[in-house]
Amino acid sequence: MRLTSAGMFLLLFSALQATDVQEKEVRALVGSDVELSCVFPERHSFDLNDLYVYWQTSVVGTPKTVVTYYLSGNSSAGHEDNRYRDRARLSLESMKRGDFSLHLHNITPQDEQRFNCLVFRKSLELEKILDVVVTLHVAANYSMPVVRAPSGPSENEELTFTCTSVNGYPRPNVYWINRTDNSLLNETLQNNTVSLNAQGLYDVVSVLTIRQTPSVNVGCCIENVLLHQNLTTISTQAETVTGTEYGITESQADAPKKQGAVLSALIVLGVVVAVAVATGWVCRSRCPPRDPRRSWAARPEQTFSSTVSDENSPPGAWTGFL
């Protein structure tokens, strides 16, 4: 008996004997290629005219979908689902060596499911020789979170921060962190909106509402559990607020101006000192030296009064220089 379609092939499943099922797991990034392994455990060579190879999705509670198949006597594998046409491939040369692995190209979030590999031999009255279930986990990197901080304190003494990250998979965990002590803020303070976009990836918007404090320093963390990845962006509300009760008296924009004024004053002071030093050096080099004897002769009383007490002065008193 020759089977010409996968539909007819399905009719035989109920009559086939049971075989031990192998369970495997594979992870892949969206847009990448992946190989779902299905290999005969023993070294063996197979005749393609003796094989029936069948890959299908295997999700409990949902109809099975044919991914691709190979029927004995065909020159190539077939497809019944357009989602996998040109994306799912079996290697005829590999199957001769007992490797019935499925090659999937351009992974999408919709490919995250269980795939079942079934291999039968016609010469053994369609005995099932291989039954492998491969669970494919799909992931995509989230964008770095963008945090929008409030421009100033609100009238109700609350501050609102907004965190946005897009194009990730699977659904993320969102945390807000108090950067002062790296503790997690209470989840009741945040409101998360997670939605699927046109590409089947997740976009997340998280809004944090907290009371005003003298110093606010928070971080938004997007966790991708499958990739063991945490993306964190830090936001400081005090950096965007000036002239408030937080004790900020000048903005960051004024700081460079004041630094420039101080630097200019120091430069001017340095020039004045340099001119004074140069003037003194010129004066010493050009002016004639003074005769110390003429100085003492001009004021003889200076020496006298500095060493002898005045007769009219009270005992123990000294007169100063005249």
Side-chain angles (χ1 to χ4, degrees):
M1 178 178 61
R2 180 176 180 178
L3 299 180
T4 58
S5 70
M8 294 179 62
F9 187 52
L10 290 172
L11 297 177
L12 300 175
F13 283 174
S14 59
L16 298 175
Q17 64 183 35
T19 303
D20 292 337
V21 179
Q22 302 178 32
E23 294 276 352
K24 300 181 180 181
E25 291 189 357
V26 177
R27 291 174 173 81
L29 288 174
V30 171
S32 67
D33 300 339
V34 68
E35 179 182 278
L36 307 184
S37 178
C38 180
V39 181
F40 193 72
E42 302 173 3
R43 187 183 297 273
H44 197 284
S45 296
F46 291 89
D47 181 2
L48 294 180
N49 292 323
D50 190 37
L51 294 175
Y52 291 92
V53 182
Y54 189 76
W55 275 92
Q56 67 179 9
T57 60
S58 178
V59 181
V60 178
T62 62
K64 291 178 170 56
T65 301
V66 177
V67 178
T68 187
Y69 59 89
Y70 174 82
L71 301 181
S72 172
N74 289 358
S75 59
S76 62
H79 301 83
E80 286 195 353
D81 193 326
N82 287 332
R83 290 183 303 167
Y84 297 105
R85 189 175 300 277
D86 300 325
R87 294 184 53 229
R89 181 178 63 86
L90 292 173
S91 172
L92 299 183
E93 289 300 319
S94 296
M95 287 194 296
K96 293 178 182 179
R97 300 189 299 271
D99 186 351
F100 308 98
S101 300
L102 175 66
H103 300 268
L104 274 180
H105 301 281
N106 192 21
I107 296 300
T108 68
Q110 290 73 31
D111 293 326
E112 183 172 70
Q113 52 190 321
R114 287 162 55 93
F115 294 83
N116 191 193
C117 169
L118 298 169
V119 181
F120 305 87
R121 292 189 64 180
K122 183 172 64 173
S123 61
L124 299 178
E125 298 182 353
L126 294 179
E127 177 185 347
K128 182 167 56 175
I129 63 172
L130 195 58
D131 189 349
V132 178
V133 174
V134 182
T135 302
L136 177 59
H137 300 284
V138 178
N141 290 302
Y142 281 89
S143 65
M144 183 62 68
V146 176
V147 178
R148 187 172 70 250
S151 59
S154 61
E155 295 181 356
N156 58 359
E157 297 184 351
E158 290 184 341
L159 298 174
T160 301
F161 295 83
T162 303
C163 175
T164 304
S165 183
V166 298
N167 293 330
Y169 200 90
R171 189 182 181 94
N173 293 324
V174 184
Y175 306 102
W176 285 90
I177 303 172
N178 181 354
R179 297 298 298 178
T180 303
D181 56 6
N182 288 328
S183 62
L184 293 179
L185 294 175
N186 195 315
E187 291 185 0
T188 60
L189 301 175
Q190 65 190 63
N191 182 19
N192 301 332
T193 301
V194 181
S195 58
L196 284 172
N197 59 29
Q199 291 76 37
L201 303 175
Y202 286 106
D203 297 339
V204 57
V205 178
S206 180
V207 178
L208 174 72
T209 303
I210 58 176
R211 297 186 60 184
Q212 296 182 29
T213 60
S215 179
V216 180
N217 188 358
V218 298
C220 175
C221 177
I222 304 296
E223 181 187 23
N224 190 322
V225 177
L226 190 61
L227 295 178
H228 304 288
Q229 182 184 63
N230 291 299
L231 301 176
T232 303
T233 297
I234 300 172
S235 178
T236 302
Q237 190 267 346
E239 292 179 353
T240 62
V241 180
T242 60
T244 69
E245 67 269 24
Y246 299 134
I248 301 174
T249 57
E250 62 182 24
S251 65
Q252 294 180 347
D254 294 334
K257 297 179 181 179
K258 293 201 171 186
Q259 293 177 357
V262 173
L263 182 59
S264 299
L266 291 176
I267 292 175
V268 172
L269 180 60
V271 172
V272 171
V273 172
V275 171
V277 172
T279 302
W281 181 82
V282 172
C283 180
R284 287 197 301 271
S285 62
R286 294 188 178 182
C287 296
R290 298 177 60 184
D291 189 351
R293 291 177 298 179
R294 296 180 58 185
S295 297
W296 287 110
R299 300 186 64 183
E301 71 279 6
Q302 185 175 15
T303 303
F304 176 80
S305 60
S306 62
T307 56
V308 181
S309 62
D310 193 343
E311 295 180 356
N312 298 325
S313 301
W318 289 86
T319 60
F321 290 103
L322 299 178

